[in-house]
Amino acid sequence: QVQLVESGGGSVQAGGSLRLSCAASGYTYSNYYMGWFRQAPGKEREGVARISPTGAATYYVDSVKGRFTISRDNAKKTLYLQMNSLKPEDTAMYYCAAGPRATMRWWEYNYWGQGTQVTVSS
């Protein structure tokens, strides 16, 4: 079992940066794919990025490619999302999640954090 807690959200101006963290507990953390998802008001949940158990493979949705970087430190049991050149359309609640396979389907992830709000003003 894995427990996840996000932090690092906040309000920034367009063009600014934020670094989200997801602290995990549980002895099986290093066996999981990890993903970042976001949900804006009135919109469906969207997969943003994922990373393989060892960190060797990553995936990004086109809208964040080149701006966001997902990484993990398995020794610290922590997942990160570095967000640069933020845009107003990045405004959403951001969630980290753990799952058994390489997928961006949110319902295939087993464990979820509580979410952290990111607000980008123009």
Side-chain angles (χ1 to χ4, degrees):
Q1 188 172 2
V2 177
Q3 292 177 287
L4 306 171
V5 179
E6 302 97 333
S7 62
S11 298
V12 297
Q13 298 260 20
S17 297
L18 285 172
R19 190 193 195 198
L20 306 184
S21 297
C22 175
S25 62
Y27 57 87
T28 60
Y29 167 80
S30 62
N31 298 130
Y32 286 91
Y33 284 82
M34 300 293 296
W36 286 100
F37 296 80
R38 65 187 181 187
Q39 188 164 25
K43 300 182 68 176
E44 295 187 350
R45 195 177 317 181
E46 174 190 31
V48 176
R50 70 166 184 263
I51 188 167
S52 62
T54 66
T58 59
Y59 168 86
Y60 302 91
V61 67
D62 285 346
S63 61
V64 310
K65 195 172 297 182
R67 300 188 297 120
F68 290 11
T69 302
I70 188 171
S71 61
R72 66 192 295 166
D73 186 334
N74 286 352
K76 297 180 179 179
K77 293 186 176 181
T78 303
L79 175 75
Y80 303 97
L81 185 67
Q82 178 66 47
M83 305 186 295
N84 298 326
S85 302
L86 283 162
K87 304 175 180 180
E89 52 261 45
D90 295 318
T91 295
M93 184 73 73
Y94 282 71
Y95 301 89
C96 67
R101 63 186 65 86
T103 179
M104 296 307 294
R105 301 183 183 101
W106 64 265
W107 57 92
E108 295 187 3
Y109 283 75
N110 303 115
Y111 304 103
W112 292 83
Q114 84 289 351
T116 186
Q117 179 67 40
V118 171
T119 302
V120 185
S121 61
S122 59

